[in-house]
Amino acid sequence: MIILVDTREKQNIHITDSFDKNGINYMKKALDYGDYSFALPKNEALSIPRDMYFNKKVCIERKASLEEISGNLTKERDRFEKELSLAPKTKVLLIENANYSDVVTGNYKTQYNKKSFLASLHSFWFKYNIPVFFIPDNKYSGLFVKKYFEYYLKNKNYLR
């Protein structure tokens, strides 16, 4: 598996360093949707006759903080909703450096009302089929990305 990292993805050195440290193959590629997806390289032993790209089937949208997602849900809401509506059916929103209780208690540095913040996260989850995962310690984000795609692949039976 090769993790695809969108060329516009910024401040993700903690993720690519984790990939490097753990021998996870990745390459930068302009992705139409999301920040991460994956590909399977050609492997005749596994009956994969050509490179297979999954970026039109599954993606991860990463936000580095509650402040970043807050901006997406307020000032950039129209653009963000359009992006999510066009994204693949299978996707996940990964929010780093926070947990659910931070939203509930208003532990973030924006003026976004915590009730509205919660309502938007839950509404987007169902409206755009995008589950929300919080990673309070971003040193685990690289592992999350790898495992998300690994288990997507296993459970979709692409290699059986």
Side-chain angles (χ1 to χ4, degrees):
M1 176 185 300
I2 299 170
I3 304 294
L4 304 175
V5 180
D6 187 48
T7 53
R8 296 164 297 224
E9 175 70 328
K10 304 292 182 225
Q11 296 159 350
N12 68 339
I13 191 82
H14 62 288
I15 293 175
T16 55
D17 281 352
S18 172
F19 292 164
D20 290 336
K21 179 180 174 186
N22 293 294
I24 299 168
N25 294 321
Y26 68 95
M27 77 175 189
K28 293 195 176 256
K29 176 178 174 43
L31 300 176
D32 292 332
Y33 314 104
D35 299 309
Y36 299 90
S37 193
F38 75 98
L40 293 176
K42 175 182 174 178
N43 185 325
E44 295 195 14
L46 293 176
S47 299
I48 302 173
R50 58 178 168 62
D51 292 348
M52 294 176 62
Y53 288 84
F54 289 80
N55 52 305
K56 302 245 188 254
K57 295 186 180 295
V58 61
C59 69
I60 295 174
E61 178 68 30
R62 181 187 72 94
K63 300 300 174 187
S65 66
L66 289 176
E67 290 76 18
E68 182 181 0
I69 187 65
S70 170
N72 293 132
L73 296 173
T74 55
K75 296 177 278 187
E76 302 168 8
R77 190 177 186 108
D78 289 341
R79 180 200 58 79
F80 191 55
E81 285 201 65
K82 182 178 179 186
E83 186 178 310
L84 292 178
S85 70
L86 297 172
K89 180 182 175 192
T90 304
K91 55 193 166 292
V92 66
L93 175 60
L94 174 64
I95 302 175
E96 295 179 318
N97 304 305
N99 59 48
Y100 190 79
S101 65
D102 291 327
V103 180
V104 172
T105 62
N107 185 25
Y108 49 88
K109 296 176 182 110
T110 71
Q111 297 300 311
Y112 199 18
N113 174 283
K114 59 188 175 187
K115 185 176 178 183
S116 298
F117 204 152
L118 278 174
S120 290
L121 287 176
H122 284 281
S123 293
F124 274 50
W125 186 320
F126 293 102
K127 188 174 182 181
Y128 299 106
N129 189 37
I130 187 160
V132 179
F133 284 84
F134 292 91
I135 302 273
D137 187 341
N138 71 6
K139 74 179 179 185
Y140 298 106
S141 297
L143 178 63
F144 178 89
V145 169
K146 178 189 183 292
K147 291 296 183 184
Y148 183 76
F149 295 133
E150 182 179 309
Y151 282 91
Y152 169 86
L153 191 60
K154 286 180 180 181
N155 286 282
K156 291 294 185 180
N157 299 317
Y158 281 105
L159 296 178
R160 293 185 186 168

